[in-house]
Amino acid sequence: MSAVAAAARALVGVRFRLHGRDPATGLDCVGVVAAALAGAGAGAGAQVTVPQGYAMRTGDADRVAMLIARAGLVRVERMAAGDVVLVRSGPGQLHLGVWTGDGLVHADAHLRRVVERPGAVAWPVVGVFRWGGGGAGATASAVAPPSPSSD
């Protein structure tokens, strides 16, 4: 298992808190991704930029992909353990999680905690991103906008 996936799994059970960025006080989906990357040592020597004041409810996947790219992740074609997954969890609603290879670790607002949902990703996948690129399927350093068929 990748270090990012293991760090994400270590967050399971942390309480949900909107705009939460600290596992001690609660996390939202962006907080889960940031904490998993930090826990895995991603960005050693560089700061992982965590968006503040974002609006995932706008459903603007291009804008969210741009924020993900600014945080240092690269869009990839094939999902692997430790990848950050951007999904459309409802009409006009985007959500982030970390793929473990067995399921998706994410902040569940309804259950009010971080959980791992086993099996295939339950929502339409808008994009898959990897820290530092590298590996099979990585593109250049920019994040391409999602294709219309991914909505």
Side-chain angles (χ1 to χ4, degrees), residues 55-61 64 87-95:
M56 301 279 283
R57 292 183 189 272
T58 66
D60 187 346
V64 174
V87 299
R88 188 166 301 286
S89 58
Q93 178 69 43
L94 298 170
H95 188 55

Side-chain angles (χ1 to χ4, degrees), residues 56-64 85-97 104 121-127 146-151:
M56 301 279 283
R57 292 183 189 272
T58 66
D60 187 346
D62 292 340
R63 180 172 181 267
V64 174
V85 182
L86 175 63
V87 299
R88 188 166 301 286
S89 58
Q93 178 69 43
L94 298 170
H95 188 55
L96 293 170
L104 188 72
V121 177
W123 304 286
V125 174
V126 175
S147 66
S149 63
S150 65
D151 286 342

Side-chain angles (χ1 to χ4, degrees), residues 65-151:
M66 179 187 65
L67 293 172
I68 293 170
R70 283 186 187 164
L73 286 88
V74 178
R75 189 179 202 121
V76 295
E77 295 300 318
R78 289 171 277 173
M79 196 162 44
D83 286 347
V84 173
V85 182
L86 175 63
V87 299
R88 188 166 301 286
S89 58
Q93 178 69 43
L94 298 170
H95 188 55
L96 293 170
V98 176
W99 179 248
T100 65
D102 298 317
L104 188 72
V105 173
H106 70 104
D108 191 309
H110 298 290
L111 295 176
R112 307 298 299 164
R113 62 189 169 89
V114 176
V115 299
E116 181 173 4
R117 180 184 287 239
V121 177
W123 304 286
V125 174
V126 175
V128 178
F129 304 86
R130 187 168 298 148
W131 175 257
T139 65
S141 60
V143 175
S147 66
S149 63
S150 65
D151 286 342

Side-chain angles (χ1 to χ4, degrees), residues 19 21 28 50-56 63 67:
H19 300 284
R21 298 295 181 268
D28 67 0
V50 179
Q52 301 293 328
Y54 65 92
M56 301 279 283
R63 180 172 181 267
L67 293 172

